[in-house]
Amino acid sequence: MPSPCPGNPLSGSPFSRREFLNVGLLAGLGLTLPEFLRMEAQGAQKFYETKEGQAKAVIQIFLPGGLAQHESFDPKPFAPPEYRGPFGSIKTALTGVHFGEKLPHLAKIADKITVINSMSHGEAAHERGTHNMFTGYRPSPALEYPSIGSVVSHELGPQNNLPPYVCVPNVPNTFANSGYLSSAHGPFALGSNPSDKNFKVRDLNLPNGVDDARFQRRKSMLETVDHHFRTLENADSLESMDAFYQHAYRLISSQQAREAFDLNKEPDKLRDTYGRHQAGQRMILSRRLVEAGVRFVSLTVGSWDHHDNLKQGIEKNLPAVDQAVAALINDLEQRGMLDSTLVILSTEFGRTPKTNKTGGRDHWPRVFSTMMAGGGVKKGMIYGKSDALGGEPEEDKVSVEDFAKTIYHQLGITADKELMAPGERPIEIVDGGRVLKEILG
């Protein structure tokens, strides 16, 4: 085996610092943390001062597949049966406002939330609609846009030794990633379901056979190797590599970080209130994470692409989400966290106003519903209106850009700010749109 080159081991040696760690110590430490920890080349390490907004954190609840507006927040009880659908409607805490009958828990707390019944965009394909809702941009073949969570990570950074952006349980789609931003701002994913009996977050526990004392010895070994290579190298990228390892050490060794992900710290009664199902346990974990210091939590739950047998699909999926979202909002309020935590319930598009021959509804981006609560958003408001059949916006049409810009505004992030894309190309965080000041408190 050739000996290391004394000139520039990063470029010429088979035992460069990076390669040495990848082959040996890195694997031994169990440092398989996601890409957000890798502070990439040329001084990517940067510390950000938190900008004060109404919200200090966001919980994004995304329902993949396309939640039907008629069966949720925008029922049409007086429409013909083929438009009205298989369910009735129920009264809410707001006079004259009805929700679909499968939302009894949210109906009771309608005076704590804002519902937007006039969301609209032009993308009827799942991937393109999802891209819209995760990035605030229409898809482009020329550029990969960052998710809202990644922009929040970039602008606000980490706190309390916790990742700024977490996906529960996994990164749900390619549009939830960092796009043209450094992968340092991509999401940390749990790797398993919080509702599993033996739920454990990957990467936060030392591998078998490595106790705390051994971990500290290996850290010391790595620091020795660092010092050796630092005497041989002058590359600026070394400092950004250090950021990755230091962040990894802090996360693995932080008792606060471990406890933030530990659902066993929650009382059984409260876990029951959320529901012992995927929706409930994902949402109670999300509350724990923002309470500990995570800036942006994105969770997905259910399957909502109900082209066939809409009735069965809604009965299977919606009651758990209804229970869990209502419990989350009540829990945040009781802890004094609702005003500083923006809760978003969204989906990629709605469903056709008329049911099809197989008792389902097809893709329909022209109008659909989203929900927001906390984080400076008004309580007890229905914003926007669809027409009598639930097929087109009739009042106060809301665009994807409006929606994203409002989220950033509530976090104290200026959505008109330009970030640098590849090729030194400045790109606005959100191009166009307006802050929906009408829904803000």
Side-chain angles (χ1 to χ4, degrees):
M1 184 75 68
S3 61
C5 170
N8 187 350
L10 278 180
S11 61
S13 168
F15 284 111
S16 72
R17 177 179 183 272
R18 181 190 294 267
E19 289 167 336
F20 181 78
L21 296 176
N22 283 342
V23 171
L25 293 179
L26 182 59
L29 282 166
L31 297 181
T32 57
L33 296 172
E35 282 299 314
F36 85 94
L37 291 175
R38 298 186 180 275
M39 298 300 181
E40 293 186 314
Q42 305 280 328
Q45 181 185 10
K46 185 176 180 181
F47 296 96
Y48 301 93
E49 294 182 2
T50 301
K51 299 176 182 178
E52 294 298 328
Q54 289 289 327
K56 291 181 172 60
V58 173
I59 298 175
Q60 176 196 43
I61 303 161
F62 191 76
L63 307 182
L67 173 66
Q69 64 273 24
H70 295 72
E71 279 66 47
S72 54
F73 295 105
D74 195 14
K76 300 296 179 183
F78 304 112
E82 63 270 27
Y83 292 89
R84 184 167 66 241
F87 299 107
S89 63
I90 55 175
K91 293 181 179 180
T92 72
L94 300 175
T95 302
V97 174
H98 288 68
F99 288 170
E101 67 174 87
K102 295 300 177 181
L103 291 178
H105 293 89
L106 284 171
K108 290 178 182 177
I109 64 163
D111 56 346
K112 300 179 183 180
I113 66 178
T114 281
V115 172
I116 299 173
N117 280 332
S118 54
M119 279 293 306
S120 180
H121 61 71
E123 305 292 349
H126 288 293
E127 294 81 5
R128 296 180 69 86
T130 301
H131 184 284
N132 281 358
M133 300 305 291
F134 269 80
T135 69
Y137 270 89
R138 293 184 63 184
S140 167
L143 190 64
E144 292 185 17
Y145 293 99
S147 65
I148 296 173
S150 289
V151 172
V152 171
S153 171
H154 181 273
E155 292 297 294
L156 301 183
Q159 59 181 351
N160 299 342
N161 290 328
L162 285 161
Y165 174 26
V166 176
C167 282
V168 179
N170 293 302
V171 182
N173 55 70
T174 58
F175 316 121
N177 283 309
S178 56
Y180 61 74
L181 295 176
S182 164
S183 58
H185 301 295
F188 179 93
L190 302 187
S192 60
N193 271 308
S195 55
D196 293 346
K197 184 177 181 180
N198 297 317
F199 167 67
K200 182 183 290 186
V201 180
R202 67 183 181 196
D203 301 334
L204 289 189
N205 296 280
L206 296 174
N208 291 335
V210 180
D211 58 17
D212 286 337
R214 190 177 178 189
F215 173 73
Q216 292 301 325
R217 286 198 302 272
R218 288 188 172 182
K219 180 181 178 183
S220 178
M221 291 170 63
L222 179 55
E223 288 170 348
T224 301
V225 174
D226 284 349
H227 177 74
H228 168 73
F229 281 108
R230 191 173 286 108
T231 63
L232 302 176
E233 302 171 15
N234 295 313
D236 291 340
S237 59
L238 272 179
E239 294 305 318
S240 59
M241 283 295 294
D242 285 345
F244 160 65
Y245 291 112
Q246 291 305 318
H247 198 167
Y249 284 129
R250 288 196 300 269
L251 189 55
I252 289 177
S253 61
S254 168
Q255 186 66 25
Q256 184 178 12
R258 294 183 195 182
E259 289 186 358
F261 291 90
D262 188 358
L263 275 180
N264 292 322
K265 301 292 184 181
E266 293 294 330
D268 286 341
K269 184 176 181 181
L270 185 59
R271 293 184 70 175
D272 292 341
T273 300
Y274 275 81
R276 297 279 184 161
H277 38 60
Q278 286 189 353
Q281 299 310 291
R282 291 178 186 183
M283 291 185 205
I284 193 171
L285 178 60
S286 298
R287 190 226 78 217
R288 285 189 64 83
L289 293 176
V290 299
E291 190 173 28
V294 175
R295 307 278 194 183
F296 194 99
V297 180
S298 178
L299 70 95
T300 54
V301 63
S303 177
W304 307 86
D305 194 22
H306 300 142
H307 292 278
D308 307 304
N309 200 345
L310 173 72
K311 184 175 187 295
Q312 183 182 69
I314 291 294
E315 288 175 338
K316 178 181 178 181
N317 287 275
L318 197 53
V321 170
D322 172 56
Q323 176 187 4
V325 175
L328 172 64
I329 293 168
N330 286 331
D331 192 13
L332 288 169
E333 183 180 55
Q334 290 165 12
R335 293 169 186 270
M337 294 173 58
L338 187 58
D339 288 342
S340 61
T341 306
L342 179 59
V343 179
I344 303 164
L345 178 68
S346 62
T347 187
E348 65 257 47
F349 43 52
R351 313 300 295 189
T352 49
K354 187 176 182 180
T355 56
N356 60 30
K357 294 180 180 179
T358 58
R361 297 186 192 268
D362 301 314
H363 301 178
W364 194 259
R366 295 183 187 177
V367 69
F368 58 104
S369 298
T370 57
M371 186 214 82
M372 304 176 89
V377 171
K378 285 182 178 177
K379 298 179 180 180
M381 184 176 190
I382 306 297
Y383 184 77
K385 181 181 178 182
S386 66
D387 63 20
L389 298 178
E392 301 285 346
E394 189 169 278
E395 295 178 6
D396 299 318
K397 180 178 177 179
V398 175
S399 70
V400 169
E401 294 81 7
D402 298 336
F403 194 64
K405 207 162 200 173
T406 303
I407 295 169
Y408 286 128
H409 178 271
Q410 292 309 99
L411 286 165
I413 296 172
T414 302
D416 293 334
K417 177 182 177 181
E418 292 180 339
L419 304 180
M420 202 58 65
E424 299 299 309
R425 179 184 174 189
I427 303 292
E428 290 185 348
I429 292 176
V430 179
D431 184 11
R434 69 181 186 90
V435 175
L436 299 172
K437 293 183 178 179
E438 298 90 339
I439 73 170
L440 303 180

